[in-house]
Amino acid sequence: MIRKKVKLAYITNGSSRKATYKKRNKGLMKKMSELSTLCGIDACVIMYSPYKSQPEVWPSPKGVQQVLSKFKMIPKMEQRNNMVNQESFLSQRTIKVVEQLKKHCKDNREKEMTQVMFNNICNKWVIHGLNFGDINDLNLLLDEKMSNIDKRMDAFAMTSLYTQEASSSLSSSMVALPPMTMVMPKAMPRTYHNHFP
Amino acid sequence: MIRKKVKLAYITNGSSRKATYKKRNKGLMKKMSELSTLCGIDACVIMYSPYKSQPEVWPSPKGVQQVLSKFKMIPKMEQRNNMVNQESFLSQRTIKVVEQLKKHCKDNREKEMTQVMFNNICNKWVIHGLNFGDINDLNLLLDEKMSNIDKRMDAFAMTSLYTQEASSSLSSSMVALPPMTMVMPKAMPRTYHNHFP
DNA sequence: GCGTCTATATTTAGTAG
DNA sequence: TCTACTAAATATAGACG
């Protein structure tokens, strides 16, 4: 009955993993409320486990929505910027690259927006009026595209931070890329900045 | 040097509150990563404190976005439904009321959507093309409206669950309400279900 | 205000019922 | 599986520099 020191790795045994999850999840939620009451802070947790169909949240679905609405208002750009700064990753060399990246990212976003505008969802809006399902569809579509771009940006940022080759090829402002998976409307010119290796 | 047992209440002394916050925040984040690695759980935390301008997040801004994109896909209705069921709040009497509430909520949402469609934002989209700022504006507007509705629904749900009066007046399907704060387009008929006392 | 220390409070792994 | 238990491990309040 001598208790081992926890080995910090995935617990392969299913039942003890579940037991651990339940205990620690409970402990975590408790700590969360303690911190919240002791220091009066505004926070939320969302946890997906295979043991429940719905995510487990703290403090409540409504509370999560409130914190989330605050969080969503911060543009992604600022988040990225802040994250990068905080971790002190930017050398003098890479600052320029990141600036370019931002500019191209912004341009790409605007172009994406315009494209989405010309997709049939938009036509539906105009002709039949905006409904709930369509808003949802658009949201999902945008999220997907954004996350694609983010993935590509991150992949690129990693490369450019650690290899000379990528940085120098970026400075020529255009890098060959596999085509984006987006459906292109026929009428729209395609002038994305492709700078992800 | 005898350590007191923690009194679970807001710490009024500013500096010790900050100290506690820092310690406990650190502990929480640690517990979070432990749980995540031990049980392979997909989760995120967002914490707003007065000590940092940006929220402190776990596991990372990107990780949070990923969890959030999963979370957003669950319609609010389902969240509410699930929450209510889980907490076993529904008596036989209130089930009908909640069903009505859902239906009216759905109707109201559709009407809101249609209204937004007729606001000048929409005209701008059609005439000038969709841009980033407009998407943002629309998002914020929708969020605000949604959260208004949610607040009202919660206020109502509380009342109907605990007072007979509210339940019985709801069963007549219409309750007098202060007017909603939404700007109404002149051309749109206004037929919201107003059932929040 | 911040980092370090240490005695105590709290959490939890493993076990037993 | 779940609950209860308990000793080991961990977190942290308060003190100090």
Side-chain angles (χ1 to χ4, degrees):
Chain A
M1 209 168 166
I2 294 164
R3 179 177 161 185
K4 276 183 282 181
K5 187 174 164 177
V6 253
K7 200 178 66 177
L8 211 65
Y10 183 74
I11 300 168
T12 48
N13 180 313
S15 55
S16 62
R17 185 170 64 250
K18 183 174 179 181
T20 294
Y21 173 75
K22 288 192 73 175
K23 284 181 178 183
R24 281 177 172 261
N25 176 58
K26 192 182 147 204
L28 197 65
M29 295 307 185
K30 190 183 172 202
K31 289 254 175 242
M32 207 67 208
S33 9
E34 285 180 359
L35 180 49
S36 176
T37 54
L38 288 169
C39 306
I41 64 149
D42 199 17
C44 74
V45 185
I46 303 173
M47 290 186 60
Y48 285 91
S49 77
Y51 314 114
K52 289 203 190 293
S53 64
Q54 294 288 307
E56 291 170 85
V57 299
W58 187 94
S60 67
K62 196 158 59 99
V64 171
Q65 290 294 346
Q66 280 174 6
V67 175
L68 252 50
S69 65
K70 227 200 269 186
F71 188 70
K72 262 190 299 183
M73 287 170 63
I74 307 167
K76 274 196 180 154
M77 204 82 83
E78 208 179 310
Q79 283 175 39
R80 172 174 314 284
N81 194 22
N82 197 276
M83 179 179 72
V84 175
N85 286 339
Q86 276 181 352
E87 296 183 5
S88 307
F89 264 178
L90 290 185
S91 69
Q92 200 59 33
R93 168 82 191 115
T94 51
I95 283 174
K96 275 185 194 169
V97 174
V98 171
E99 289 305 319
Q100 268 191 354
L101 207 53
K102 279 192 203 167
K103 189 181 169 303
H104 288 174
C105 173
K106 188 161 159 282
D107 291 348
N108 280 345
R109 281 188 180 178
E110 279 178 13
K111 279 167 189 152
E112 271 206 315
M113 293 295 146
T114 315
Q115 281 198 333
V116 171
M117 168 73 182
F118 279 90
N119 276 351
N120 60 4
I121 289 172
C122 178
N123 294 332
K124 250 204 260 172
W125 290 0
V126 176
I127 298 166
H128 300 109
L130 198 69
N131 68 40
F132 201 30
D134 292 337
I135 283 272
N136 232 4
D137 288 348
L138 179 60
N139 244 335
L140 292 176
L141 188 66
L142 289 175
D143 281 341
E144 203 183 320
K145 296 307 170 196
M146 284 306 181
S147 112
N148 270 346
I149 291 194
D150 279 334
K151 270 181 212 149
R152 283 156 159 268
M153 281 183 65
D154 289 318
F156 171 76
M158 279 304 167
T159 321
S160 75
L161 285 164
Y162 296 116
T163 75
Q164 186 57 30
E165 189 194 356
S167 308
S168 55
S169 56
L170 184 98
S171 60
S172 70
S173 188
M174 210 57 127
V175 175
L177 258 204
M180 297 192 69
T181 53
M182 169 172 282
V183 177
M184 290 298 168
K186 299 271 192 271
M188 289 283 298
R190 158 118 187 249
T191 51
Y192 276 86
H193 292 278
N194 293 336
H195 42 42
F196 307 103
Chain B
M1 209 168 167
I2 294 167
R3 178 180 162 185
K4 276 185 282 182
K5 189 175 162 176
V6 254
K7 199 177 66 174
L8 212 64
Y10 183 73
I11 299 167
T12 48
N13 180 312
S15 55
S16 62
R17 186 170 64 251
K18 183 173 182 182
T20 293
Y21 173 76
K22 289 193 72 175
K23 285 181 179 184
R24 279 176 173 262
N25 177 58
K26 191 182 147 204
L28 197 65
M29 296 306 186
K30 191 183 171 203
K31 288 253 177 242
M32 205 70 207
S33 9
E34 285 180 358
L35 179 50
S36 175
T37 54
L38 287 170
C39 306
I41 290 292
D42 199 15
C44 74
V45 185
I46 303 173
M47 291 186 58
Y48 284 91
S49 76
Y51 313 113
K52 289 205 191 290
S53 64
Q54 294 288 309
E56 293 170 84
V57 298
W58 188 92
S60 69
K62 197 156 58 95
V64 172
Q65 290 294 345
Q66 281 174 6
V67 176
L68 253 49
S69 64
K70 227 201 267 186
F71 188 70
K72 262 191 299 184
M73 287 170 62
I74 306 168
K76 272 194 181 155
M77 204 82 83
E78 207 180 312
Q79 282 174 40
R80 170 172 314 283
N81 191 24
N82 198 274
M83 179 180 70
V84 175
N85 286 340
Q86 275 181 351
E87 297 182 6
S88 305
F89 265 179
L90 290 185
S91 69
Q92 200 59 32
R93 168 85 191 113
T94 49
I95 285 176
K96 276 186 195 168
V97 175
V98 171
E99 289 306 319
Q100 268 191 354
L101 205 54
K102 279 191 204 169
K103 188 181 169 306
H104 289 174
C105 174
K106 191 163 157 279
D107 291 348
N108 281 345
R109 281 190 179 175
E110 280 178 8
K111 280 168 189 151
E112 272 205 315
M113 292 294 146
T114 316
Q115 281 198 331
V116 171
M117 168 73 183
F118 280 89
N119 277 352
N120 61 4
I121 290 172
C122 178
N123 294 332
K124 248 202 261 171
W125 290 2
V126 176
I127 298 164
H128 299 109
L130 198 69
N131 69 40
F132 201 30
D134 292 338
I135 283 272
N136 234 3
D137 288 348
L138 180 60
N139 245 334
L140 291 175
L141 188 65
L142 289 174
D143 280 343
E144 203 182 319
K145 295 308 171 196
M146 284 305 181
S147 113
N148 271 344
I149 291 192
D150 278 335
K151 270 180 211 148
R152 283 156 159 269
M153 280 182 66
D154 289 319
F156 171 74
M158 278 305 169
T159 321
S160 75
L161 284 165
Y162 295 115
T163 75
Q164 185 58 30
E165 187 195 355
S167 307
S168 55
S169 56
L170 184 96
S171 60
S172 72
S173 188
M174 210 57 126
V175 174
L177 259 203
M180 295 193 71
T181 53
M182 171 172 282
V183 177
M184 291 296 170
K186 298 273 191 268
M188 289 282 299
R190 160 119 186 249
T191 51
Y192 275 88
H193 291 277
N194 294 334
H195 42 41
F196 307 103

